[in-house]
Amino acid sequence: MDTFAAIFVPDFALQAVLRQEAESCSKSIALVDPSLPKPNIIQLTSPARAQGVIEGLTASQAMARSAELRILSRSLAQEQAAMDILLQTAYAFSPSIENSAPGVCTLELKGLGLDGESALQDWAAQIVAALETLSLRVRIGVASTPSLALLAAKAARPTLIVRDVDAFVSALPVDVLEPSPSILDILERWGVQTIGELLNLGRTELADRLGPEIVSLLRRLSPHASRPLKLVAPRQTFAEQVEFEVEIETAEPLLFVLRRFVEQLARRLDVIHLVVAQLHLQLKLGSGAVYEHHFRIPAPTADVNTLFRTLQTHLESVRTETAIVGLTLEATPCLPQTHQFGLFETTLRDPNQFAETLACLTALCGSDRVGTPVVASTHRPDVFSLRSPQFDAQASGAAHVDAAIGLALRRFRPAIPATVEFRGERPALLRSSSVNGAVVEVRGPYRSSGDWWDRQVWTREEWDVQTADGTLCRIFRTGTECFVEGVYD
Amino acid sequence: MTEAQRLKGRGHGGYVELHARSAFSFLRGASTPEQLAEKAAALGLPAVALCDRNGVYGAPRLFGRAQETGVKAIVGAEIVMEDQTVLPVLVESRVGYQNLCQLLTRAHLRSEKGKATVGWDELPEFAKGLVALTGDEEGPLLKDLAKTASLESGNGTRLLQRGGTSPIAFGSSRRPAAKGGQVRALERLLHIFGRDHLFVEVQRHHLRGEDRTHRDLVELAEQSHLPLLATNGVLYASEMERPILDVFTCIRNHTHLDAAGKLLAQNSERYLKTSAQMSELFFDCPEAIENTVRLAQRLEFSMENLGYEFPEYPVPPGHSMDTFLREQAYAGARQRYGYVPEKVRLQLEKELPLIAKLKVSGYFLIVWDIVQFCRQQNIMAQGRGSAANSTVCFCLGITAVDPLRFNTLFERFLTEGRKSSWPDIDIDLPSGGRRERVIQEIYQRYGRHGAAMTANVITFRGRSASREVGKALNLAGDVLNRFSNLYANGDFPHTLDLAAQMEKAGLPKEHPRAPAFAVLCSAIRGLPRHLGQHSGGMIICQGKLDSVMPLENASMPGRVVAQWDKDDCEDLGIIKVDFLGLGMMSVLQDTVELTGRLGRPVDLAHLPQDDAKTFEMMQAADTVGVFQIESRAQMATLPRMKPKCFYDVVIEVAIIRPGPIQGHLMHPYLERRAGKQPVRYYHDSVKPVLERTLGVPLFQEQMLEIAMVMANFSGAEAEELRRALSFHRSQERMQKVEKKLRAALERNGHGPEVVEQIIQAIGSFALYGFPESHAISFAHLAYASAYLKAHRAPEFYASLLNNQPMGFYSSASLVKDGQRHGVKFLPVCVRESDWDCAIESAHVAQASRPAGALSSGAARESLHVRLGLRVIRGLSRTSAEQLLAEQRREPFTSIDDCKRRVRLNRDEWRVLAEVGAFNCFAAHRRDALWLVEKEWRQGDLFEYSELARAGKASESTPADSELREAPLDARTASPLPAMNYAERIRADYRAMQLTTGKHPMALLRSQLKDVWRAADLPKAESGSWIRIAGNVICRQRPGTAKGFVFISLEDETGISNAIVTPPMFEANRLLITEESFLVIEGTLQNVDNVIHVKAARIERLKADPRVATASYDFH
């Protein structure tokens, strides 16, 4: 009785990264996981393997074997997107799906009316085709238990329906059972390569030596050891994300990638018969800043051109300070023609709504113009950063303010250019649009400098001066230019 | 000019910087002491005081450079107090210096490294002779004031804080008193140091808020009747070095520049300033400037006046140290020669009076005493270095070389010209536990405060400098990794310049931080990072060493380390004895012991000096495992050199050194030796000096003699030259001597060509040339090890394996070399193996015997090396000892028996089974693996424990007996197949990194149809195009080879060598550095039986990297 199917994405992490550039699969590419203590190669394309690259090599070792090898880093965000696609697509073919593991989805076939091998084959072929349009190459196995279905999927090219369980499992390599590294190590020392050889050692003897883990692994091979699936509903988030290897500085390549994203999202929604109600665009900038924009689609649609035009029109007016290093496009779906926005919308119905509005403001005014100012930890005077407003009541306690010392300085922002005549190193005469006159008292110079390691290197000398009319002010010189920074109360 | 006039006479009204930190404050200062001294001289400052944090680390260097530049070096230190305030103190007198050293020693020795603090309570005991300053913003006074003000600010009083953002209150009335009498810190300092020895320190760095601090300090000084003292709290010599300090701040705080914020300096004002600048800065309190000069005059202590004394040797009544030394020297001579030959007597009479005159008899006696201790403890000890030039040392048994036999130059060891430095005796000891025993004995004899290892200053080098700077600049981790990887396994002197390396690492020069990276990498290179301990240099002192210099704990338990390195110690005339650990000494001692136990002893002191087999082996470059002459470069010279006598070995040892190679002396010597070039001399007068090396100077002594003969250098001048040659730190010193020598040569009428040749040869010796005596000592070890390899091969290889890691070859290569020499290596066995590799003969191996016992009189041909448990990776020493103890108590009878009696972890059982250690109980390795995995049943354990408690563990119960005596097959029959050959080799490499089976290349041979084996290469025609293949066991890129890379490939027949040109290396860098097995194709070059393949094509050999031998790379 074939009651379960498993969809398996081989080299899942690599496919997730290469999904946006399907043509790269024919090139020599290897994937490393930078989060590991030793970021060795974890997955690779067939051309790379043909050149002698294997899993476990360091990047340097791999490059020694393949000069044209491209090394990419694993992206959890792209894996999440690929997993979403897998689950969302599977959900279109069965209401009972399980998120079994990264790159693995198990489906229950009961009640789908798939009688006969040809119906099963057709059904599986449709899934393979649907996912292929979304740039995921998958294998599908069908068997009487979820575990056997997964084993079948791993062995499938691209589909496999298991009839004779014993014959099927005997030929499988032991590592498809995914034992712990210590068990795998023992089996390797024993010279046991296939599940058939493993079973020949005797279950009791194995249990005596390898403990409960092997018992549990072997139980998976039984055609009767089924289990209920942990059913999930796929996330209703439809997002595509990429971190660019080379920073993007012009609109053209950005729009190229965006078009691909829109196509992907449209296809994904199309498979499950939904349309786009909103789009959320995030541009990650080289400076670390993030540019975001939220689009409401007045008439929800899955039409690629309409959606793409919306983005393109907006981006024409966008200028970023630094190059773009990452891009995220998220679609909020809805059922077609079931959700229509009115002409007028109320605002600030709740904090979330307010936050959304602020995000719009930020997009309109610029990210450096909305938020709460916070003094930066630097010797550079008058430097602050803007922190996004906090809506958490607990977090909005009274801010720490340094005790006031001496006179208050009323700063001119920006500082007022001034002409200062010096006698030696001492200011003697000050002329500016706000403060003028002979200097009768001086304190300083106070010197500060910093950011010498960067293009924003700065150096300044400050004086507190009193002019003949009694005005107390702060002036400073940077390079050859002088400014009045403010006046003291 | 009086001292006072000198101090006042330079600059304006005179100013002395009395509070400067150098880079020896470890990440708290950015300039070397030498830079500070030079800058002070350039600015016209008459004196400068160095106050490094918790130490006087930089004081000798400041003193040395200050002497040269005419600046007075004042000693001081910043002491970290228990409340984390930092108290600067200056040394007034020798008593003060001794107090400071003792105080710091006490603090360091009770603390974790780098966390020493001094308690306020203990300060009074050591205050005499010290002058305290109240310190800067980290000082106790300002911290106390800030705390007081902070408390007052709560009551509406303003906050006193440096660097605040408030303006100065113009014309406002000043806050009434910082309450001098009430400031606790000042009261405490006054109480400890007294009014005459305490100064209120004022600093101005053009920062907001500091005027207020200044006013408070002035007011406090007035109220307390204390003098003011201006300092600039110098952290770097010039303002250009401020970025270095910022980077150091980041390193210290584990952050980067973008995140460091206010941890960084606010400006670049803490540099060494002129008297005029400081006077202008303190125009409103000139007395603070004047006081610097007055105080500097008072600080009369100088590093010249350390009060160091070497310990006296306790001589028997009626003897002085001189007479006792004489007695011992003559007694030794009689023992060495059987009588005292006239030549020896004359030499002793030359040396002994000089030793007495220089008052170093005690030194000789103490070293002699240590060597005696080694003898008593059965620890091999051999003096080397220049001591080997002394007949007294030879007669005392300190050295093994008879200087009269080799006519070595005594003046290289000791001359009257040595005013400030002591003779240098280095003792080679077997590395490991034996050497540690000697070191601990010295600590025991002289106390933890009387003896210490000299320091080894760890400096920022290429890789560490770039990594730390990169991290501080917040560069991406992968860029830094790539940058580091491009160093491969060492610095490449001739290939990638910094810019190219940055480009390749992904840091183009357009990168905004690339310029800073490039500049800072160079700037911090060579600056101290932290203090380590020298590998063997020890200093000892009469009385207490901790009153000569501060001592610290080394990271290694039980070791105490001084704050100065060996060059600093030598500069200050502090005597040092080097106890250097040599792996080969251990090997020799172990081999001698093994041969003794086997009944075929060898006396290393009386080896035949003309052994034909030993020289044949050397001539054939069959020297894997032999001391010094086993390297690839040595092997490439031996067939050309063809050593025929011991002195040839001396030359062989000395000639493959950067000095002779870079001085273009190696090839002329070999050519002359081969008769291809005539023997020529610089001048007839040096013929006696250079005759033994065919007119080519190969030893330092010859350089000194040439200088003495051709340039009329006196003994003192020759000593100056010797110091310059052996002083690695100073190019300047070398240049100075060179200039003097050149002038003297020219004065003596030598032509420019000869002068140039001599200068070039001497210059190259500054790049590590050997003294002859040193080469002779090393040649002794080389000859002895070659002899043992030739005549006691099993014992020699066993000892080599027991002393790994050492030398140029891995255990795997040594085993293969041994096998090629007919030595049989037996695998690890739980019944037969000891911890160490041992020797077995065939009939002994068949009998049951206690581990470690060896039968005497075993037939030579039947001696085998049984691998010891030590070669197994993953088996702890404790577990192995447990196993061995049980086996000795009663031999194991089965795996079950073993498992019952010994508690190892699962991995240890597995690894023993995997390497075949249980093959005595199992049909094959997998049988054993199957058995050891079987779960130990609780019932069995309980039953056995009960038996053990009842003292019956060794008695057999019926069930137990049945189990033990059951036929092996019945109990061990497993369903697992036996490992095939390749699997066994793989298992061996995985567990031991070596195999007693075939070389991995032997298994690949059938796939390598057109590849030549190493052993067949002599048959190939020179110039022919061939392919070689093997496991890469060595990659070298010597600094002397102009970028050429040498690769050694090992196969089942031996080692073949390839040469790679620099462009070829650059094109295949990763392939060469990363792959374990290579196929190299190119032209065969056979010159005088030295065979190389000049690589034209390199490719990966598809082999299992798990069976690769570790490579000895880029050394």
Side-chain angles (χ1 to χ4, degrees), chain A residues 37-355:
Chain A
K38 273 190 173 178
N40 294 349
I41 304 291
I42 53 168
Q43 289 172 358
L44 58 152
T45 58
S46 329
R49 196 177 296 279
Q51 287 171 319
V53 181
I54 52 170
E55 292 87 351
L57 294 184
T58 63
S60 302
Q61 287 170 331
M63 287 173 77
R65 295 188 179 185
S66 168
E68 65 265 31
L69 182 72
R70 205 172 123 209
I71 293 181
L72 301 176
S73 294
R74 186 178 175 183
S75 162
L76 292 179
Q78 285 176 310
E79 283 174 35
Q80 180 62 56
M83 198 64 210
D84 286 345
I85 291 172
L86 182 62
L87 295 175
Q88 285 154 0
T89 308
Y91 197 58
F93 288 84
S94 168
S96 308
I97 62 166
E98 180 190 72
N99 180 353
S100 309
V104 180
C105 172
T106 311
L107 301 82
E108 192 162 341
L109 305 185
K110 212 179 281 176
L112 296 185
L114 297 170
D115 299 326
E117 183 148 346
S118 69
L120 263 174
Q121 289 282 14
D122 289 348
W123 177 84
Q126 280 178 42
I127 299 176
V128 171
L131 285 166
E132 188 135 17
T133 62
L134 296 166
S135 303
L136 280 182
R137 286 171 295 103
V138 300
R139 298 171 188 173
I140 297 180
V142 178
S144 55
T145 70
S147 301
L148 285 171
L150 177 57
L151 292 179
K154 287 180 177 174
R157 297 291 185 278
T159 58
L160 177 66
I161 299 165
V162 175
R163 295 284 176 231
D164 182 348
V165 173
D166 288 344
F168 166 66
V169 296
S170 290
L172 291 176
V174 284
D175 57 359
V176 296
L177 283 175
E178 295 183 351
S180 62
S182 62
I183 297 267
L184 197 60
D185 183 54
I186 294 168
L187 296 181
E188 195 190 328
R189 288 173 202 239
W190 287 356
V192 173
Q193 290 177 352
T194 65
I195 292 177
E197 288 168 3
L198 182 69
L199 290 169
N200 283 342
L201 297 178
R203 288 171 189 258
T204 315
E205 293 292 318
L206 283 173
D208 258 3
R209 284 161 177 81
L210 304 180
E213 186 186 337
I214 199 72
V215 176
S216 153
L217 290 175
L218 293 179
R219 196 178 296 132
R220 288 189 207 165
L221 302 175
S222 162
H224 310 294
S226 192
R227 63 173 174 84
L229 297 185
K230 291 175 190 162
L231 299 182
V232 293
R235 293 200 324 162
Q236 287 306 301
T237 310
F238 293 79
E240 294 291 344
Q241 188 177 27
V242 70
E243 302 256 329
F244 297 114
E245 274 184 74
V246 181
E247 294 179 348
I248 287 192
E249 290 178 337
T250 58
E252 202 175 321
L254 179 69
L255 291 173
F256 177 77
V257 178
L258 263 181
R259 173 100 198 173
R260 281 196 169 187
F261 276 13
V262 173
E263 285 169 358
Q264 281 280 339
L265 290 170
R267 270 188 222 139
R268 285 167 65 180
L269 292 171
D270 191 42
V271 171
I272 53 175
H273 310 292
L274 293 176
V275 289
V276 178
Q278 296 174 40
L279 282 173
H280 188 79
L281 175 71
Q282 265 193 357
L283 301 177
K284 202 168 149 193
L285 306 182
S287 61
V290 175
Y291 174 83
E292 290 184 274
H293 195 80
H294 194 79
F295 302 87
R296 281 169 187 263
I297 311 299
T301 177
D303 180 64
V304 172
N305 289 330
T306 310
L307 294 170
F308 180 65
R309 257 201 319 275
T310 310
L311 294 167
Q312 190 180 18
T313 311
H314 173 76
L315 284 173
E316 276 168 3
S317 61
V318 172
R319 296 284 178 272
T320 58
E321 276 181 10
T322 49
I324 296 162
V325 295
L327 166 67
T328 306
L329 184 64
E330 191 177 322
T332 308
C334 65
L335 288 170
Q337 299 173 338
T338 57
H339 201 93
Q340 183 68 49
F341 288 91
L343 283 175
F344 304 101
E345 291 199 302
T346 56
T347 56
L348 205 56
R349 284 178 296 205
D350 56 38
N352 288 336
Q353 188 69 37
F354 179 56

Side-chain angles (χ1 to χ4, degrees), chain B residues 241-442:
Chain B
E241 284 153 349
R242 177 261 185 112
I244 299 175
L245 189 77
D246 280 349
V247 167
F248 282 175
T249 304
C250 290
I251 297 171
R252 201 156 40 81
N253 290 285
H254 309 289
T255 185
H256 52 81
L257 289 159
D258 295 315
K262 291 188 173 175
L263 290 173
L264 302 179
Q266 186 166 349
N267 61 30
S268 318
E269 292 293 319
R270 294 183 79 149
Y271 61 95
L272 211 47
K273 289 183 175 167
T274 61
S275 171
Q277 283 173 301
M278 289 302 288
S279 299
E280 194 181 327
L281 210 49
F282 290 92
F283 68 96
D284 53 347
C285 59
E287 73 276 17
I289 298 290
E290 287 158 15
N291 284 341
T292 62
V293 178
R294 284 196 199 109
L295 178 56
Q297 286 166 3
R298 262 177 60 189
L299 303 175
E300 60 190 25
F301 174 75
S302 159
M303 296 293 285
E304 260 173 329
N305 196 15
L306 279 179
Y308 167 78
E309 282 176 48
F310 192 72
E312 290 191 353
Y313 182 79
V315 292
H319 268 297
S320 68
M321 286 192 287
D322 295 339
T323 59
F324 190 65
L325 177 67
R326 170 175 289 273
E327 190 178 284
Q328 292 307 318
Y330 273 95
R334 279 189 289 276
Q335 209 177 339
R336 287 270 191 201
Y337 302 99
Y339 68 104
V340 184
E342 184 58 11
K343 200 175 163 188
V344 174
R345 192 190 66 76
L346 286 173
Q347 184 62 25
L348 286 177
E349 286 311 317
K350 179 182 171 188
E351 292 185 19
L352 286 167
L354 183 61
I355 290 168
K357 190 174 177 187
L358 293 173
K359 296 184 178 157
V360 288
S361 298
Y363 173 53
F364 281 78
L365 287 169
I366 279 175
V367 176
W368 167 72
D369 193 34
I370 293 166
V371 172
Q372 294 284 93
F373 167 79
C374 294
R375 298 247 154 77
Q376 285 157 12
Q377 296 291 314
N378 195 25
I379 298 170
M380 275 180 82
Q382 177 181 304
R384 63 144 134 148
S386 55
N389 294 25
S390 158
T391 300
V392 169
C393 285
F394 178 66
C395 292
L396 290 175
I398 294 171
T399 56
V401 177
D402 183 353
L404 295 174
R405 186 180 152 207
F406 296 100
N407 291 320
T408 50
L409 186 69
F410 176 67
E411 286 72 18
R412 164 71 178 79
F413 177 59
L414 206 59
T415 62
E416 234 181 309
R418 283 175 184 262
K419 281 181 189 152
S420 60
S421 76
W422 295 75
D424 187 15
I425 303 184
D426 300 340
I427 308 287
D428 284 332
L429 296 166
S431 55
R434 297 182 186 111
R435 173 171 166 265
E436 190 57 27
R437 256 161 57 205
V438 177
I439 290 172
Q440 290 305 329
E441 173 67 17
I442 291 165

Side-chain angles (χ1 to χ4, degrees), chain A residues 39 49-54 57-65 182 185-193 197 200-202 205-211 375-380 402-409 411 425 441-456 458 460 462-466 472-475 485 488, chain B residues 153 158-159 161 164-171 205-212 215 242-244 246-247 257-269 271 273 280 473 481 485 510-513 516 520 906-907 910-911 914 926 929-931 933-937 975-977 979 983 986 990 1070-1072 1074-1075 1100 1102-1103 1105-1106:
Chain A
R49 196 177 296 279
Q51 287 171 319
V53 181
I54 52 170
L57 294 184
T58 63
S60 302
Q61 287 170 331
M63 287 173 77
R65 295 188 179 185
S182 62
D185 183 54
I186 294 168
L187 296 181
E188 195 190 328
R189 288 173 202 239
W190 287 356
V192 173
Q193 290 177 352
E197 288 168 3
N200 283 342
L201 297 178
E205 293 292 318
L206 283 173
D208 258 3
R209 284 161 177 81
L210 304 180
V375 177
S377 170
T378 166
H379 293 298
R380 190 171 197 163
D402 282 337
I405 309 163
L407 302 175
L409 176 72
R411 286 182 187 272
E425 274 299 298
E441 190 76 56
V442 178
R443 290 288 183 274
Y446 304 114
R447 292 180 182 144
S448 50
S449 56
D451 294 343
W452 49 263
W453 58 91
D454 226 336
R455 283 181 184 146
Q456 284 80 41
W458 59 275
R460 59 187 259 154
E462 291 173 12
W463 292 266
D464 291 326
V465 299
Q466 186 172 21
L472 293 177
C473 66
R474 178 183 295 183
I475 62 170
E485 187 160 43
Y488 290 106
Chain B
S153 71
R158 70 181 168 77
L159 189 75
Q161 195 173 19
T165 53
S166 69
I168 294 160
F170 289 95
H205 299 125
H206 291 292
L207 295 173
R208 277 190 181 278
E210 67 185 8
D211 280 346
R212 184 179 307 133
R215 281 199 303 278
R242 177 261 185 112
I244 299 175
D246 280 349
V247 167
L257 289 159
D258 295 315
K262 291 188 173 175
L263 290 173
L264 302 179
Q266 186 166 349
N267 61 30
S268 318
E269 292 293 319
Y271 61 95
K273 289 183 175 167
E280 194 181 327
L473 285 170
N481 284 341
N485 286 343
E510 297 78 25
H511 190 285
R513 295 183 181 188
L520 284 164
R906 276 178 168 268
D907 287 338
R910 265 175 221 147
V911 80
E914 188 179 24
R926 286 211 176 111
L929 276 166
W930 183 250
L931 273 175
E933 286 299 345
K934 186 159 182 176
E935 191 61 57
W936 181 261
R937 290 195 175 81
L976 299 174
M979 287 183 188
E983 285 173 330
R986 196 158 61 231
R990 176 151 77 171
L1070 286 175
L1071 181 68
I1072 291 169
E1074 299 292 343
E1075 289 296 343
R1100 177 170 74 96
K1102 285 181 187 162
R1106 288 173 295 183

